[in-house]
Amino acid sequence: MKTTNKWASKMGFILATAGAAIGLGNLWKFPYLMGRNGGFPFLAAYLIFICLLGVPVMITEMALGRKTGHNPVLAYGTVHPHARIVGYLGVLAAFFILSYYAVIGGWIIKYFVSYTVTGQAPEDFSAFIGHPTEPLIWFFLFMLGTSLICYFGVSGIEKASKFMMPALFVILIIIIVRGLTLPGAAAGLSFIFTPKLNDFSLNSVSAALGQVFYSLSLCMGITITYGSYLHKDVSIPKGCIQVAVLDTCMALLAGIAIFPAVFACGLEPASGPGLIFVTLPEVFGTMAGGAFFAALFFLLVFFAAVTSAVALLEVSVSFVMGNWHWSRRKAVFLLSFSIFLLGIPSSLSFGPLAGVSIFNYNIFDFVCMLTDNIFLPFGGIFMCYYIGWKWQPALLIDEICLNGIPFPFAKPWLFLIRFVTPVMVIIVSLTGFFSIYQTVIP
């Protein structure tokens, strides 16, 4: 069953797809990786991999989605009967990622509400996430907001993205202006952008490659799903390039917004939740008007998180609507509830279930490992094999070139999909498995 929903405008499609890509990883991970792995050389490597891996895979998934008009499983089923495994891996990845992503989304709402109501952060982040019930309440509220947007289908996603993405940009600029006026802010810019060749290594190259893979939400089924809603007169290569540019610019702006303030306050930069929920509240606490800027910041983080969460939920909704012929209402309600149930152990892994480990991972980290190191890389490898070698790539090229839209890089694109991208994905996979090995066998 082909989808009958379509994006109402090209701008809505671009903003929704960019919103799916721009998530929490852009705000806390990319700038930190850049600072710790050589600064500008890391950025150069990242941009090269955007061109060699990110954009070609996005074009592939977008064109496949639009050509078939199907969810990921049915779309890959048209390529080859066995290729459905690629679609299933993408749907599973989106489903599991959202189960822990929404847990963090709940923490974000808690901090936004705390700053808005009390003018300060919760007293102790570790105590908050270790509480047996409170994080579950905020987790539920985040899933509720995500499901309400998804319930209204393509129209709801597009309208939310048209509001949230420009708002995200405006809030970032406000926080950048405030942060750069702090004494000592230049040290933060130096941390991100100064070339540090001694810190740039093969591990840095691998980190840049992996960040491209995850930052653009590749092989999660999102691009195929959103591509199935795309009109035939839209240039797929142009749209994918615009999304990649927006995604990279937002990551850089996030670094300029966050790290000058961190260094101005004499604090050590961190990656992940430690930066957002521990270090930055200390920064805002020392800043004039800190509560206002903190509330603005967590509103920004919420917008980035919820646009990505909606995209992840839409992948599963599209799957059950297309394969099992559920109504959107039934699909959104049952899937949201299932994801909430699946995410409960991840939420409790910092509290009542803190002592439970799987291969030396707590439950939250184990689910992260499962998606990042198993579902996504294997999906990428299988995608390159089936699209590049078992199908007729000319069919996708014809789809991309509909209505006279030029695609002068058709031959380089095919070469990349067949030879270069698989090697890069294998490198990401091997790096991930090495990380698993170090954790399981310390």
Side-chain angles (χ1 to χ4, degrees):
M1 182 177 71
K2 288 196 175 187
T3 179
T4 56
N5 296 313
K6 297 293 179 184
W7 301 114
S9 65
K10 294 179 184 179
M11 181 58 68
F13 152 69
I14 295 295
L15 291 178
T17 309
I22 298 168
L24 298 178
N26 294 72
L27 298 181
W28 71 41
K29 189 175 182 181
F30 177 81
Y32 175 82
L33 286 176
M34 190 172 165
R36 286 297 191 200
N37 289 279
F40 188 79
F42 178 87
L43 176 61
Y46 179 83
L47 294 176
I48 290 171
F49 293 140
I50 282 279
C51 298
L52 296 181
L53 172 67
V55 173
V57 174
M58 281 191 74
I59 289 174
T60 302
E61 294 190 321
M62 191 73 67
L64 181 62
R66 190 176 74 174
K67 179 173 180 59
T68 62
H70 289 316
N71 66 67
V73 173
L74 293 180
Y76 277 107
T78 66
V79 174
H80 189 278
H82 296 160
R84 288 183 178 229
I85 183 63
V86 186
Y88 281 118
L89 286 170
V91 172
L92 280 173
F95 190 84
F96 277 83
I97 288 171
L98 186 52
S99 73
Y100 67 80
Y101 195 88
V103 171
I104 303 174
W107 301 346
I108 293 164
I109 297 177
K110 163 67 176 180
Y111 271 66
F112 171 71
V113 171
S114 181
Y115 274 111
T116 303
V117 175
T118 69
Q120 59 187 9
E123 288 186 7
D124 188 321
F125 175 65
S126 296
F128 161 61
I129 64 174
H131 194 276
T133 56
E134 188 181 3
L136 291 176
I137 296 172
W138 299 107
F139 171 29
F140 175 81
L141 290 175
F142 184 86
M143 278 305 306
L144 179 63
T146 300
S147 61
L148 286 175
I149 295 172
C150 200
Y151 173 78
F152 290 100
V154 175
S155 173
I157 297 170
E158 188 168 351
K159 288 177 181 177
S161 300
K162 281 184 174 180
F163 168 74
M164 289 183 179
M165 294 308 296
L168 189 153
F169 177 78
V170 171
I171 295 172
L172 260 181
I173 296 301
I174 294 172
I175 294 175
I176 285 172
V177 171
R178 181 66 186 96
L180 291 178
T181 61
L182 297 173
L189 295 178
S190 176
F191 171 75
I192 302 172
F193 292 107
T194 300
K196 300 181 283 288
L197 293 179
N198 290 337
D199 294 335
F200 188 73
S201 63
L202 286 177
N203 288 334
S204 304
V205 174
S206 177
L209 181 56
Q211 181 63 18
V212 168
F213 194 85
Y214 304 120
S215 181
L216 293 178
S217 302
L218 304 179
C219 299
M220 299 180 191
I222 292 173
T223 312
I224 291 179
T225 301
Y226 278 18
S228 70
Y229 304 148
L230 188 59
H231 288 285
K232 297 289 188 179
D233 61 344
V234 176
S235 171
I236 289 176
K238 183 178 179 181
C240 291
I241 291 171
Q242 289 172 334
V243 169
V245 169
L246 281 173
D247 181 75
T248 303
C249 287
M250 283 295 185
L252 289 173
L253 287 174
I256 297 171
I258 292 171
F259 287 97
V262 170
F263 278 83
C265 294
L267 298 173
E268 272 294 310
S271 180
L275 171 65
I276 301 294
F277 299 107
V278 178
T279 305
L280 283 178
E282 290 187 46
V283 172
F284 291 126
T286 63
M287 186 187 299
F292 169 76
F293 288 103
L296 263 187
F297 176 79
F298 281 102
L299 181 62
L300 175 154
V301 179
F302 171 75
F303 285 164
V306 79
T307 50
S308 297
V310 168
L312 291 167
L313 180 57
E314 182 66 16
V315 172
S316 298
V317 169
S318 173
F319 166 72
V320 298
M321 289 174 63
N323 288 64
W324 301 347
H325 309 296
W326 288 10
S327 67
R328 176 168 285 273
R329 175 184 296 182
K330 178 181 178 182
V332 170
F333 173 76
L334 290 181
L335 286 171
S336 298
F337 185 67
S338 299
I339 289 168
F340 175 73
L341 293 179
L342 179 64
I344 289 175
S346 291
S347 179
L348 297 180
S349 65
F350 302 98
L353 298 182
V356 177
S357 66
I358 306 172
F359 301 120
N360 290 331
Y361 292 94
N362 68 19
I363 298 171
F364 184 98
D365 291 336
F366 176 77
V367 180
C368 293
M369 181 277 294
L370 191 66
T371 57
D372 292 358
N373 300 122
I374 306 295
F375 293 157
L376 297 181
F378 275 93
I381 293 170
F382 289 141
M383 181 273 291
C384 293
Y385 171 70
Y386 282 110
I387 294 293
W389 297 100
K390 299 295 287 186
W391 204 37
Q392 300 178 51
L395 296 174
L396 279 190
I397 294 174
D398 290 342
E399 178 67 27
I400 295 167
C401 295
L402 283 178
N403 300 313
I405 292 174
F407 187 37
F409 302 106
K411 289 184 178 179
W413 164 79
L414 181 57
F415 177 79
L416 290 170
I417 291 297
R418 280 182 165 174
F419 299 103
V420 179
T421 303
V423 173
M424 291 183 172
V425 176
I426 289 171
I427 291 172
V428 173
S429 302
L430 292 177
T431 303
F433 281 119
F434 181 68
S435 174
I436 295 172
Y437 175 80
Q438 288 182 311
T439 302
V440 175
I441 307 176

